[in-house]
Amino acid sequence: MNSLITRIEGHIDTLSKFTATPGKGTTRLTYSKEDRLARDYIKEKMKEYGLQVREDGFGNIFGKLEGTLEDAPSVLIGSHFDSVPNGGSYDGPAGVIAGLEVAALFAENQLTPKYPLEVIALIEEEGARFSGGLMGSRGITGLLSEEDFKNLRDKDGISPEEAMVKIGLDPSLPKKRDFQTIKAFLELHIEQGPILEEKNIPLGVVEAIVGLTQFEITVEGQAGHAGTTPMERRSDALVTAAKMIAQFPTLAIEEGDGTVMTTGQLHVYPNGANVIPKTTVFTVDIRSSKEEHIQTVIRKMKDLIESYNGDGIHISARQQLYMRPKTMNQDILTLLKQTSSALDLPYCSINSGAGHDAMVLSDFTEVGMLFIPSKDGLSHCPEEWSDSRHLANAVQVFYETAKKLTEAEEK
Ligand code: HGY
Ligand code: MN
Ligand code: MN
């Protein structure tokens, strides 16, 4: 176990160096040079652990250990390797590392699977560069069409394909994956909340993942001189945005049942201290474990927006992502619970307030997800930290589970 923990810490330390903001957390945007460095490391480890490596037309990375059954579907284990701006070292990479180390244990124990084992590293789960998020998994499953993928632009107007080519990726490679080629998907993730730590339980078996939707709201007003434009003659795009954003928390609180609503991004144009803002563009993220709450808050948000249209203000809303609440596969969850008990690892059932690639793949294959504790419940910030011993526990559980799902035999 100690060598496993040492390898895990080595992976975390190395991957955390691939950031655009050293000393201020992990900023690893998709198709950036930091992506390129992390990708090269992940592919190198996949090869070292005896896996056949390929990338698809989105830049998702697959490391495959062939099985003895002809054309059999694979058991996938992995997560994403992009980050939010100034995020942590564990959100995403913990799951990729878990996949890598399960493959290492297969190699160490000379296991031959009947069904192939595939380690996957997915791109753009966070949506920090191209809006929406869950891009790698939505692409594989076809939920993100090739056309919609091509039409995405980052804040500088760069398309995913241009960005891919810039770091040596080939967007012409196959994109959508036939989901008959997937037998199951296992994802390890940090909890990103306080529950496991407060309960002092090392493993969470994820039962369900909240539904979520993201909108981009654009407010168009009239630019003007801050000194010479009387107050009553202004169509101020920032004041209008601020009035709406200030009311959003009440919509979520009124809905209750854990419903949350967040504005995380706000851009002001032309952004001059002495210029009345002409345009503001901001995001709205709405989540709940019950779909009806999400739908109600969307309706109330649209009514609120409509009430501010007029007097020189024009507001538009573009929905960038919509995912229903998802439950994980019960057979896989039972297997994860039985395996944790057999390894004397305490676990509890837990639901996820964060979105994950597992929620996308759960409509196409059997999916199971494990959480490990997050220190102080922190995530999406440089303080994000999890204990490599907990990550090693999860590797052991996934190793035993993957042995069963791939029907692997010792040589
Ligand atoms: O937003 C989320 O829940 C995830 O971190 N992408
Ligand atoms: Mn995240
Ligand atoms: Mn994540």
Side-chain angles (χ1 to χ4, degrees), residues 15 54 64-65 78 124 156 179 201 204 216 272 298 318 361:
L15 286 169
R54 73 174 181 90
K64 188 174 186 179
L65 173 64
E124 195 60 352
D156 301 319
F179 53 85
I201 294 179
E216 181 182 79
I298 290 173
R318 189 161 64 93
L361 286 153

Side-chain angles (χ1 to χ4, degrees), residues 80 82-84 91-92 125-126 189 192 354-356 379-380 384:
H80 62 97
D82 62 310
S83 80
V84 294
D91 176 357
E125 187 273 346
E126 301 290 4
H189 206 282
Q192 302 180 291
H356 298 289
S379 180
H380 282 190
E384 182 183 277

Side-chain angles (χ1 to χ4, degrees), residues 212-229:
L212 58 94
T213 185
Q214 279 186 3
F215 283 82
E216 181 182 79
I217 313 292
T218 302
V219 182
E220 292 289 355
Q222 176 57 56
H225 193 296
T228 58
T229 311

